[in-house]
Amino acid sequence: MSVPAREYEGALAAQHAEKLYATVLDDIKSVIKSNSVASSSDAKKIIAMAVSLQRDPAGFEKKVIADFGFTAGSGKLSTLHALILKRIKDHSTSAAMQSSMTGFSGGARERVEGGGIVKGGLVRPTGIARPEFKRPEARTSVLGLQSLGQKKREENEAALRRGRISFDSAEDA
């Protein structure tokens, strides 16, 4: 990978990380009570806590309250914990997709999201009569070449019967 491509990949990763931090910060602000103010650095620390305590939502809730003093309704910090882990998983999936495109150089890259499962296959319109194909009629030669060829074949067969034409190599010399 060339140096500009590495720089581009690094810038792209930083851009995605900042987007993740901003999204998580919005999630934090929607969960905590309005008297507390969360910053981008708080979002980074809370993400780190969520990852380190990913199997312990109650521990995450206690640590966030102890370290930041954020207050939220009952169970909301546990919900935030699950939401942060989901966002991290989505972010890593997106980053894996982006890194798989390293063969492409330059150009804008974006993640394409599907609309779910879509029924596909061959579409056959109903109620429309299907065309019927029939074998074309035998055409006759316009210049009379067909009759000339038939006449030539008959002459060759007659000559073979009379013995005039031989396929021996001695006569060809």
Side-chain angles (χ1 to χ4, degrees), residues 111-169:
R111 181 178 179 192
V112 178
E113 297 180 10
I117 298 174
V118 179
K119 183 179 177 183
L122 181 64
V123 177
R124 292 188 176 188
T126 56
I128 298 174
R130 293 179 52 127
E132 291 185 24
F133 296 98
K134 54 185 176 183
R135 188 176 184 162
E137 297 176 11
R139 292 186 278 173
T140 58
S141 175
V142 178
L143 301 174
L145 296 177
Q146 195 164 8
S147 60
L148 232 131
Q150 182 65 30
K151 186 176 176 184
K152 185 74 171 176
R153 281 190 289 276
E154 289 172 0
E155 288 174 2
N156 285 341
E157 285 177 18
L160 276 174
R161 277 188 235 123
R162 282 185 258 142
R164 289 188 185 166
I165 298 178
S166 172
F167 294 104
D168 292 335
S169 60

